[in-house]
Amino acid sequence: PVCAGSTPPIVLVTGASHTGAVWRAFDGAAATDDVGRRHLEVLAVVAAAVDALRDHEFGGAFENADPGSGAVARRNLGTIAAGLLNPSGVYARWPLPDAVWAVLGDVRTVWNQCRGCNERGSALYRMADELEGVFADAMVHCVGPLLDKDDVQRLKKYCDPYPSGLGKGGGS
């Protein structure tokens, strides 16, 4: 689906590929009631948002290696994507919206790891900034409509990389 309100429009390929992958991974076990089905639906959209990052022209830099050092990162997009399809993984064990906050935190760790080992203004630093914005937009406009009103407000606040209003670089 195209997520309304994003600029440019975000197209996430959810449909059969992500929903089917999540259902196969969980073998339908978690979807025995409305709460379980909603959890899987949200995880499928979150998985599609993570895959959109991986498919982005800059995504390969964050797939497995720690950008800037070449070492395998503690958190990377490949690990997060695999975790979304793991029925015994942390994202499956936590209820909504905690599973969403866990993914958000892990993806933010990817950007922070990159910024921690690259100079401000470098290509990799700018790539992390770009992808952070893409992911925030996808989460707010694609995952947000699936959450409760209070959780949407929390999501918007969490996805604002500049809550102080100072802009990139903390006002510098």
Side-chain angles (χ1 to χ4, degrees):
V2 175
C3 300
S6 62
T7 307
I10 297 170
V11 179
L12 293 186
V13 183
T14 52
S17 62
H18 286 90
T19 305
V22 170
W23 276 84
R24 280 189 302 281
F26 288 82
D27 197 23
T32 56
D33 57 23
D34 287 342
V35 172
R37 281 189 289 279
R38 183 167 171 259
H39 193 160
L40 291 182
E41 177 184 12
V42 171
L43 285 182
V45 175
V46 172
V50 171
D51 278 350
L53 291 176
R54 296 170 74 201
D55 292 341
H56 189 279
E57 65 180 310
F58 302 149
F62 302 93
E63 182 67 20
N64 295 304
D66 188 356
S69 73
V72 174
R74 179 170 46 97
R75 274 284 166 237
N76 58 66
L77 297 179
T79 302
I80 295 167
L84 281 162
L85 298 178
N86 182 349
S88 60
V90 66
Y91 308 127
R93 290 192 313 254
W94 289 358
L96 291 177
D98 295 340
V100 173
W101 309 145
V103 174
L104 281 168
D106 287 348
V107 170
R108 182 167 278 173
T109 296
V110 172
W111 314 140
N112 290 339
Q113 286 174 162
C114 175
R115 291 184 190 113
C117 62
N118 292 283
E119 287 187 39
R120 183 178 297 215
S122 69
L124 285 168
Y125 199 103
R126 290 191 318 268
M127 284 187 219
D129 284 347
E130 170 80 16
L131 288 178
E132 181 177 41
V134 168
F135 189 67
D137 230 22
M139 293 301 288
V140 168
H141 296 291
C142 302
V143 176
L146 302 174
L147 300 175
D148 296 333
K149 184 178 179 181
D150 291 340
D151 294 329
V152 170
Q153 292 307 313
R154 182 178 173 196
L155 178 67
K156 286 179 180 179
K157 188 174 186 175
Y158 190 89
C159 286
D160 181 359
Y162 318 112
S164 66
L166 296 175
K168 288 184 183 181
S172 28

Short mmCIF file of all heavy atoms in Angstrom, two decimals, residues 7-48:
data_model
loop_
_atom_site.label_atom_id
_atom_site.label_comp_id
_atom_site.label_asym_id
_atom_site.label_seq_id
_atom_site.Cartn_x
_atom_site.Cartn_y
_atom_site.Cartn_z
N THR A 7 5.75 12.35 2.36
CA THR A 7 6.27 13.06 1.20
C THR A 7 7.70 12.65 0.99
O THR A 7 8.52 12.89 1.87
CB THR A 7 6.21 14.58 1.43
OG1 THR A 7 4.88 14.93 1.79
CG2 THR A 7 6.61 15.33 0.20
N PRO A 8 8.08 12.06 -0.12
CA PRO A 8 7.18 11.57 -1.15
C PRO A 8 6.38 10.37 -0.64
O PRO A 8 6.72 9.84 0.41
CB PRO A 8 8.15 11.13 -2.26
CG PRO A 8 9.41 10.79 -1.55
CD PRO A 8 9.47 11.71 -0.37
N PRO A 9 5.34 9.96 -1.37
CA PRO A 9 4.56 8.83 -0.89
C PRO A 9 5.43 7.59 -0.66
O PRO A 9 6.30 7.30 -1.45
CB PRO A 9 3.56 8.59 -2.02
CG PRO A 9 3.50 9.88 -2.76
CD PRO A 9 4.86 10.50 -2.63
N ILE A 10 5.18 6.92 0.44
CA ILE A 10 5.92 5.70 0.78
C ILE A 10 5.10 4.52 0.29
O ILE A 10 3.92 4.39 0.61
CB ILE A 10 6.14 5.59 2.30
CG1 ILE A 10 6.99 6.76 2.79
CG2 ILE A 10 6.78 4.26 2.66
CD1 ILE A 10 7.05 6.85 4.29
N VAL A 11 5.73 3.68 -0.49
CA VAL A 11 5.07 2.47 -0.97
C VAL A 11 5.74 1.30 -0.27
O VAL A 11 6.93 1.06 -0.43
CB VAL A 11 5.20 2.32 -2.50
CG1 VAL A 11 4.53 1.04 -2.95
CG2 VAL A 11 4.61 3.53 -3.20
N LEU A 12 4.98 0.62 0.56
CA LEU A 12 5.49 -0.57 1.23
C LEU A 12 4.87 -1.79 0.58
O LEU A 12 3.67 -1.84 0.36
CB LEU A 12 5.13 -0.56 2.72
CG LEU A 12 5.79 0.50 3.58
CD1 LEU A 12 5.43 0.27 5.03
CD2 LEU A 12 7.29 0.52 3.41
N VAL A 13 5.69 -2.74 0.28
CA VAL A 13 5.21 -3.98 -0.30
C VAL A 13 4.87 -4.90 0.86
O VAL A 13 5.72 -5.61 1.37
CB VAL A 13 6.28 -4.61 -1.20
CG1 VAL A 13 5.76 -5.87 -1.86
CG2 VAL A 13 6.75 -3.62 -2.24
N THR A 14 3.64 -4.84 1.32
CA THR A 14 3.24 -5.72 2.41
C THR A 14 2.55 -6.93 1.81
O THR A 14 3.16 -7.95 1.68
CB THR A 14 2.35 -4.99 3.44
OG1 THR A 14 1.28 -4.36 2.77
CG2 THR A 14 3.15 -3.99 4.23
N GLY A 15 1.34 -6.79 1.44
CA GLY A 15 0.62 -7.86 0.79
C GLY A 15 1.02 -9.25 1.22
O GLY A 15 1.34 -9.53 2.36
N ALA A 16 1.01 -10.17 0.27
CA ALA A 16 1.26 -11.58 0.54
C ALA A 16 2.68 -11.84 1.00
O ALA A 16 2.91 -12.70 1.83
CB ALA A 16 0.94 -12.40 -0.69
N SER A 17 3.65 -11.10 0.48
CA SER A 17 5.04 -11.43 0.81
C SER A 17 5.35 -11.25 2.28
O SER A 17 5.85 -12.16 2.92
CB SER A 17 6.00 -10.60 -0.05
OG SER A 17 5.83 -9.23 0.22
N HIS A 18 5.04 -10.09 2.86
CA HIS A 18 5.36 -9.88 4.26
C HIS A 18 4.37 -10.57 5.19
O HIS A 18 4.76 -11.20 6.15
CB HIS A 18 5.43 -8.39 4.58
CG HIS A 18 6.67 -7.77 4.04
ND1 HIS A 18 6.71 -7.22 2.80
CD2 HIS A 18 7.91 -7.67 4.54
CE1 HIS A 18 7.92 -6.79 2.55
NE2 HIS A 18 8.68 -7.05 3.59
N THR A 19 3.09 -10.43 4.89
CA THR A 19 2.11 -11.07 5.74
C THR A 19 2.33 -12.58 5.71
O THR A 19 2.34 -13.23 6.76
CB THR A 19 0.68 -10.72 5.30
OG1 THR A 19 0.56 -9.29 5.27
CG2 THR A 19 -0.34 -11.29 6.24
N GLY A 20 2.55 -13.12 4.54
CA GLY A 20 2.80 -14.56 4.42
C GLY A 20 4.06 -14.98 5.15
O GLY A 20 4.07 -16.01 5.84
N ALA A 21 5.12 -14.18 5.03
CA ALA A 21 6.38 -14.52 5.71
C ALA A 21 6.19 -14.50 7.23
O ALA A 21 6.67 -15.38 7.94
CB ALA A 21 7.48 -13.55 5.30
N VAL A 22 5.49 -13.50 7.71
CA VAL A 22 5.25 -13.41 9.16
C VAL A 22 4.39 -14.59 9.60
O VAL A 22 4.68 -15.24 10.60
CB VAL A 22 4.63 -12.05 9.55
CG1 VAL A 22 4.16 -12.06 10.99
CG2 VAL A 22 5.63 -10.92 9.31
N TRP A 23 3.32 -14.89 8.85
CA TRP A 23 2.45 -16.01 9.22
C TRP A 23 3.20 -17.33 9.18
O TRP A 23 3.03 -18.17 10.05
CB TRP A 23 1.23 -16.07 8.28
CG TRP A 23 0.16 -15.16 8.73
CD1 TRP A 23 0.06 -13.83 8.45
CD2 TRP A 23 -0.96 -15.47 9.54
NE1 TRP A 23 -1.04 -13.30 9.03
CE2 TRP A 23 -1.70 -14.28 9.71
CE3 TRP A 23 -1.41 -16.63 10.14
CZ2 TRP A 23 -2.86 -14.23 10.46
CZ3 TRP A 23 -2.59 -16.57 10.89
CH2 TRP A 23 -3.29 -15.38 11.03
N ARG A 24 4.04 -17.52 8.14
CA ARG A 24 4.80 -18.77 8.06
C ARG A 24 5.78 -18.87 9.23
O ARG A 24 5.94 -19.92 9.84
CB ARG A 24 5.55 -18.87 6.73
CG ARG A 24 4.68 -19.32 5.58
CD ARG A 24 5.49 -19.63 4.33
NE ARG A 24 6.29 -18.51 3.86
CZ ARG A 24 5.82 -17.49 3.15
NH1 ARG A 24 4.54 -17.46 2.81
NH2 ARG A 24 6.60 -16.52 2.75
N ALA A 25 6.43 -17.75 9.54
CA ALA A 25 7.40 -17.76 10.64
C ALA A 25 6.72 -18.09 11.96
O ALA A 25 7.26 -18.82 12.79
CB ALA A 25 8.11 -16.41 10.73
N PHE A 26 5.52 -17.58 12.13
CA PHE A 26 4.82 -17.81 13.38
C PHE A 26 3.89 -19.00 13.30
O PHE A 26 3.25 -19.36 14.27
CB PHE A 26 4.04 -16.55 13.79
CG PHE A 26 4.93 -15.44 14.26
CD1 PHE A 26 5.57 -14.61 13.36
CD2 PHE A 26 5.14 -15.24 15.60
CE1 PHE A 26 6.39 -13.60 13.78
CE2 PHE A 26 5.97 -14.23 16.03
CZ PHE A 26 6.60 -13.41 15.12
N ASP A 27 3.79 -19.59 12.11
CA ASP A 27 2.95 -20.75 11.88
C ASP A 27 1.52 -20.51 12.34
O ASP A 27 0.83 -21.42 12.77
CB ASP A 27 3.55 -21.98 12.58
CG ASP A 27 2.97 -23.29 12.04
OD1 ASP A 27 2.49 -23.28 10.90
OD2 ASP A 27 3.00 -24.27 12.78
N GLY A 28 1.09 -19.25 12.29
CA GLY A 28 -0.26 -18.91 12.68
C GLY A 28 -0.53 -19.06 14.17
O GLY A 28 -1.62 -18.78 14.64
N ALA A 29 0.47 -19.47 14.94
CA ALA A 29 0.26 -19.77 16.36
C ALA A 29 -0.15 -18.53 17.15
O ALA A 29 -0.98 -18.61 18.05
CB ALA A 29 1.54 -20.35 16.97
N ALA A 30 0.42 -17.40 16.82
CA ALA A 30 0.12 -16.19 17.58
C ALA A 30 -1.19 -15.55 17.14
O ALA A 30 -1.65 -14.61 17.77
CB ALA A 30 1.26 -15.18 17.43
N ALA A 31 -1.78 -16.04 16.08
CA ALA A 31 -2.96 -15.42 15.53
C ALA A 31 -4.23 -16.17 15.87
O ALA A 31 -5.12 -16.31 15.05
CB ALA A 31 -2.81 -15.29 14.02
N THR A 32 -4.33 -16.65 17.08
CA THR A 32 -5.51 -17.42 17.47
C THR A 32 -6.66 -16.53 17.89
O THR A 32 -7.77 -17.00 18.05
CB THR A 32 -5.16 -18.38 18.63
OG1 THR A 32 -4.63 -17.61 19.71
CG2 THR A 32 -4.15 -19.42 18.17
N ASP A 33 -6.42 -15.25 18.08
CA ASP A 33 -7.48 -14.33 18.44
C ASP A 33 -7.22 -12.99 17.75
O ASP A 33 -6.24 -12.81 17.05
CB ASP A 33 -7.55 -14.15 19.97
CG ASP A 33 -6.23 -13.69 20.57
OD1 ASP A 33 -5.41 -13.09 19.86
OD2 ASP A 33 -6.04 -13.93 21.77
N ASP A 34 -8.12 -12.01 17.98
CA ASP A 34 -7.98 -10.71 17.34
C ASP A 34 -6.69 -10.01 17.74
O ASP A 34 -6.06 -9.35 16.92
CB ASP A 34 -9.18 -9.82 17.67
CG ASP A 34 -10.43 -10.26 16.94
OD1 ASP A 34 -10.30 -11.00 15.94
OD2 ASP A 34 -11.54 -9.86 17.36
N VAL A 35 -6.29 -10.14 19.00
CA VAL A 35 -5.06 -9.51 19.48
C VAL A 35 -3.86 -10.11 18.76
O VAL A 35 -2.97 -9.40 18.28
CB VAL A 35 -4.91 -9.65 21.01
CG1 VAL A 35 -3.56 -9.17 21.48
CG2 VAL A 35 -6.03 -8.91 21.71
N GLY A 36 -3.83 -11.43 18.62
CA GLY A 36 -2.73 -12.09 17.92
C GLY A 36 -2.68 -11.72 16.45
O GLY A 36 -1.61 -11.46 15.90
N ARG A 37 -3.84 -11.64 15.81
CA ARG A 37 -3.88 -11.26 14.39
C ARG A 37 -3.42 -9.82 14.22
O ARG A 37 -2.68 -9.52 13.29
CB ARG A 37 -5.29 -11.47 13.83
CG ARG A 37 -5.58 -12.92 13.50
CD ARG A 37 -6.88 -13.08 12.75
NE ARG A 37 -8.05 -12.81 13.58
CZ ARG A 37 -8.58 -13.70 14.42
NH1 ARG A 37 -8.05 -14.89 14.53
NH2 ARG A 37 -9.64 -13.40 15.13
N ARG A 38 -3.82 -8.94 15.11
CA ARG A 38 -3.39 -7.53 15.03
C ARG A 38 -1.88 -7.43 15.22
O ARG A 38 -1.22 -6.67 14.52
CB ARG A 38 -4.13 -6.71 16.10
CG ARG A 38 -3.79 -5.24 16.04
CD ARG A 38 -4.77 -4.42 16.89
NE ARG A 38 -4.29 -3.07 16.97
CZ ARG A 38 -3.64 -2.57 18.00
NH1 ARG A 38 -3.42 -3.31 19.07
NH2 ARG A 38 -3.23 -1.32 18.00
N HIS A 39 -1.34 -8.20 16.16
CA HIS A 39 0.11 -8.20 16.39
C HIS A 39 0.84 -8.60 15.11
O HIS A 39 1.81 -7.95 14.71
CB HIS A 39 0.42 -9.17 17.53
CG HIS A 39 1.81 -9.04 18.07
ND1 HIS A 39 2.16 -9.50 19.29
CD2 HIS A 39 2.95 -8.53 17.57
CE1 HIS A 39 3.43 -9.27 19.52
NE2 HIS A 39 3.93 -8.68 18.48
N LEU A 40 0.38 -9.66 14.47
CA LEU A 40 1.02 -10.11 13.23
C LEU A 40 0.87 -9.10 12.11
O LEU A 40 1.79 -8.89 11.32
CB LEU A 40 0.47 -11.46 12.81
CG LEU A 40 0.84 -12.64 13.70
CD1 LEU A 40 0.27 -13.93 13.15
CD2 LEU A 40 2.35 -12.76 13.87
N GLU A 41 -0.29 -8.46 12.05
CA GLU A 41 -0.51 -7.44 11.01
C GLU A 41 0.47 -6.28 11.19
O GLU A 41 1.11 -5.83 10.23
CB GLU A 41 -1.95 -6.93 11.07
CG GLU A 41 -2.24 -5.82 10.08
CD GLU A 41 -3.64 -5.24 10.23
OE1 GLU A 41 -4.34 -5.53 11.23
OE2 GLU A 41 -4.03 -4.48 9.34
N VAL A 42 0.63 -5.82 12.43
CA VAL A 42 1.55 -4.71 12.71
C VAL A 42 2.99 -5.15 12.43
O VAL A 42 3.76 -4.42 11.79
CB VAL A 42 1.39 -4.20 14.15
CG1 VAL A 42 2.49 -3.21 14.51
CG2 VAL A 42 0.02 -3.56 14.34
N LEU A 43 3.36 -6.36 12.87
CA LEU A 43 4.72 -6.84 12.61
C LEU A 43 4.98 -6.95 11.10
O LEU A 43 6.10 -6.68 10.65
CB LEU A 43 4.96 -8.19 13.28
CG LEU A 43 5.19 -8.18 14.78
CD1 LEU A 43 5.47 -9.58 15.28
CD2 LEU A 43 6.30 -7.24 15.18
N ALA A 44 3.99 -7.33 10.32
CA ALA A 44 4.17 -7.43 8.87
C ALA A 44 4.45 -6.06 8.26
O ALA A 44 5.32 -5.92 7.39
CB ALA A 44 2.94 -8.07 8.23
N VAL A 45 3.75 -5.03 8.72
CA VAL A 45 3.99 -3.68 8.20
C VAL A 45 5.34 -3.16 8.67
O VAL A 45 6.07 -2.54 7.89
CB VAL A 45 2.84 -2.73 8.59
CG1 VAL A 45 3.13 -1.30 8.15
CG2 VAL A 45 1.53 -3.21 7.97
N VAL A 46 5.70 -3.43 9.92
CA VAL A 46 7.02 -3.03 10.42
C VAL A 46 8.11 -3.74 9.62
O VAL A 46 9.11 -3.13 9.23
CB VAL A 46 7.16 -3.30 11.93
CG1 VAL A 46 8.58 -3.07 12.40
CG2 VAL A 46 6.20 -2.41 12.73
N ALA A 47 7.92 -5.03 9.34
CA ALA A 47 8.88 -5.79 8.53
C ALA A 47 9.01 -5.17 7.15
O ALA A 47 10.12 -5.07 6.60
CB ALA A 47 8.48 -7.25 8.45
N ALA A 48 7.90 -4.74 6.57
CA ALA A 48 7.94 -4.09 5.25
C ALA A 48 8.71 -2.77 5.32
O ALA A 48 9.45 -2.43 4.40
CB ALA A 48 6.52 -3.85 4.74
#
